[in-house]
Amino acid sequence: MADPHPALPSPYKTGLAGRCPRCGEGALFDGFLKLKPRCSACGLDYKFADSADGPAVFIMLIAGFVVLGAALYVEIAYEPPIWLHLVIWLPLAVILCLALLRPMKGLAVALQYANKAEEGRRET
């Protein structure tokens, strides 16, 4: 007899890969950051998904830590001119943020689904 509640695929694997959080097959995104209306494989409606600014905040923290740490190390070790810092670290920060944005948004959506996250409501 089939299990009425099949196990969900890992939200980490599906989210980081940009796949449906329920089946792990269909694509999550329609473009760079826009979510599809529903999964093409299982039909899951993505209306529940609202990652808001959460992924962007984590990305800024991660990228800031990496870029600032590397810039401080280079400054202390080699003392390059300020223009060289700008030429190296500004593009690196932009590339790192853009590279992490889609996987982190996918992870946020997959974790919302796996944990049945909903908008908070007040009981009156």
Side-chain angles (χ1 to χ4, degrees), residues 8-116:
L8 293 175
S10 167
Y12 299 100
K13 283 184 180 179
T14 57
L16 293 174
R19 296 287 175 202
C20 173
R22 180 165 67 187
C23 68
E25 297 295 322
L28 186 61
F29 294 102
D30 186 21
F32 184 62
L33 289 177
K34 183 181 178 202
L35 292 178
K36 288 188 169 201
R38 64 185 30 86
C39 176
S40 59
C42 71
L44 175 65
D45 189 359
Y46 294 144
K47 285 183 186 173
F48 71 90
D50 181 22
S51 63
D53 293 334
V57 171
F58 283 112
I59 291 166
M60 286 188 291
L61 291 171
I62 293 167
F65 179 79
V66 170
V67 172
L68 181 63
L72 286 173
Y73 173 77
V74 169
E75 176 61 30
I76 292 169
Y78 303 106
E79 297 181 19
I82 192 70
W83 67 266
L84 188 57
H85 277 296
L86 293 173
V87 167
I88 294 171
W89 306 118
L90 282 178
L92 180 64
V94 170
I95 290 167
L96 192 58
C97 287
L98 289 176
L100 291 174
L101 197 52
R102 185 176 164 134
M104 290 294 279
K105 184 170 182 172
L107 179 61
V109 169
L111 287 172
Q112 283 178 342
Y113 181 77
N115 294 303
K116 299 174 180 69

